Amino acid sequence: MTEADRNPDGTEPAGQIYVLAASVLTLLIGSGAMFLVVVALKPIAAEFSWPRAVPSLAFSLQFLGAGFGGFFMGRVLDRYGMGPPALVASLTIPCGAILLSQFDAAWQLYAIYGLLIGFLGTGALAAPAMANIARWYVRRRGMAVGIVAGGQALAGIMWPPIFVLVMEAHGWRTMALAFGAVAAVFLPALALVLRRRPGVPAGPPGTTASVPAARPAAGSRLPMSVGGLQAALCAAIVGCCVAMGLPLGHLVSYVTDLGHPATNAAEVLSVMLMSAFVSRAVFVGLLADNIGGLRALFLFSGTQAAMLAAFTAVHGLAELYVVAILFGLGYGGIFPVYAVAIRELMPIAEAGRRTGLVFLFGALAMGFGSWIGGILFDATGNYVSAFLLGVAFNVANLAVLAVTIFRLGPRSPRPAAA
């Protein structure tokens, strides 16, 4: 371990690498649950004679539940550490997948995805895990947060092709049941590792942060309060996440609608998520640790907007792969750099709840994006109008980020202790 990995008081958090590895594996396995309904969207709609908006809404409710769950579990993280959220998710995600294999009514599908897989499942993992690992690392915080967030992208790389193979051989119900069994074996064991907490120095009695919050940027033009910055980040994440939710929820269906086989459609999604993993594992740390979270966020979001627009203009399989790769490089960095920016600019003792609140707005936006994609498809018979709507939201996100970066002014030097 190097000096760069020390806590602000000079201590070295024991077990740093184990928590990092367990966080990645937990998100890798747990995040697979969200892709069950993505892969099975068309078969589920066909079996029950539903419009695609019905299973699309289930996917949206997962994000909605995860948003509220992330805010709630963020407060639990601030008080008790990552152990309780990880334990809850290790029970509810397997239960949700197993129940998914048995449902026979729309309300049951909504309850499974909104409560078990969303609120108590993904909500207990994504935002808390990124906020938690940001406490374990200092100089290489962007790298660590990006690697942990990469667990979700790895889930998209690994699970959709497996789900397609199992679904085509045994049906979507068996697919869900098998995933639930796998999650039930691994997630509880990983939760035991995530019980560990970093040794952060305690502040004076009555303080609200274990270490001081980041100082305002030198030369700040119009200094922003913590509350103002929180509001700006909540507004910004809405724009980029509406755009993000559209291809995540509908890319497999979009590619098959263009006449390509389901296996190729799942590969396009996996390639996009593999690119997102590379973005998180490599470029989040490279950019955020050098130019700051907000500026890195602007670059990632701009790339996402351009590639979402490109999806409406390409139809060949090779072109779809290329656009998916570039879209993944953009969208993959967005969520982790929000966590990095929050940790850079806000008190460490409030990182869990503030990250959870920003991610709540992001989850609501992703849910809206997925849902409106199904609605607009049912109304128009294609996804062009839905993707263009996402581009418009993404442009609004870039405007909010540009104003926020301007108001904060030049990036402040990193404190020597960090």
Side-chain angles (χ1 to χ4, degrees), residues 312-334:
T312 66
V314 300
H315 300 91
L317 192 58
E319 292 88 346
L320 288 167
Y321 280 122
V322 172
V323 175
I325 290 171
L326 296 175
F327 183 90
L329 289 176
Y331 116 79
I334 289 175

Side-chain angles (χ1 to χ4, degrees), residues 151-168:
Q152 286 185 305
L154 283 174
I157 297 167
M158 183 178 77
W159 289 114
I162 295 174
F163 290 161
V164 168
L165 290 175
V166 176
M167 182 177 69
E168 291 185 342

Side-chain angles (χ1 to χ4, degrees), residues 41-42 52 56 246-247 249-258 308 311-312 369-370 372-378 380-390:
L41 188 148
K42 291 175 73 173
R52 292 187 192 181
S56 294
L246 284 159
H250 296 277
L251 188 58
V252 172
S253 298
Y254 174 65
V255 175
T256 56
D257 286 346
L258 293 175
L308 182 57
F311 268 127
T312 66
S370 176
I372 199 65
I375 292 293
L376 290 176
F377 175 87
D378 291 336
T380 65
N382 62 67
Y383 285 111
V384 172
S385 59
F387 286 1
L388 291 178
L389 177 64

Side-chain angles (χ1 to χ4, degrees), residues 76-87:
V76 174
L77 170 70
D78 289 337
R79 189 177 182 93
Y80 301 107
M82 187 62 195
L87 178 61

Side-chain angles (χ1 to χ4, degrees), residues 175-387:
M175 173 190 75
L177 181 63
F179 172 80
V182 171
V185 171
F186 291 101
L187 289 181
L190 291 168
L192 296 177
V193 181
L194 293 175
R195 292 184 305 169
R196 306 187 70 161
R197 304 180 70 174
V200 179
T207 58
T208 60
S210 298
V211 296
R215 294 174 297 194
S220 179
R221 298 180 176 89
L222 296 170
M224 297 181 70
S225 66
V226 172
L229 181 59
Q230 176 89 66
L233 293 178
C234 288
I237 202 170
V238 170
C240 58
C241 286
V242 169
M244 188 187 301
L246 284 159
L248 282 177
H250 296 277
L251 188 58
V252 172
S253 298
Y254 174 65
V255 175
T256 56
D257 286 346
L258 293 175
H260 304 293
T263 51
N264 291 127
E267 288 172 359
V268 171
L269 177 62
S270 292
V271 164
M272 184 181 80
L273 293 169
M274 184 181 297
S275 179
F277 170 73
V278 172
S279 179
R280 291 173 176 181
V282 178
F283 295 111
V284 167
L286 184 65
L287 292 174
D289 289 339
N290 286 282
I291 67 174
L294 288 181
R295 287 168 174 78
L297 177 58
F298 188 89
L299 295 178
F300 287 124
S301 185
T303 302
Q304 174 183 269
M307 291 305 105
L308 182 57
F311 268 127
T312 66
V314 300
H315 300 91
L317 192 58
E319 292 88 346
L320 288 167
Y321 280 122
V322 172
V323 175
I325 290 171
L326 296 175
F327 183 90
L329 289 176
Y331 116 79
I334 289 175
F335 263 98
V337 291
Y338 274 107
V340 172
I342 290 167
R343 179 59 187 88
E344 286 177 344
L345 300 168
M346 298 183 184
I348 187 175
E350 301 173 3
R353 70 195 71 177
R354 292 193 179 277
T355 303
L357 181 58
V358 172
F359 281 21
L360 167 59
F361 278 83
L364 293 172
M366 290 190 73
F368 174 77
S370 176
W371 174 75
I372 199 65
I375 292 293
L376 290 176
F377 175 87
D378 291 336
T380 65
N382 62 67
Y383 285 111
V384 172
S385 59
F387 286 1

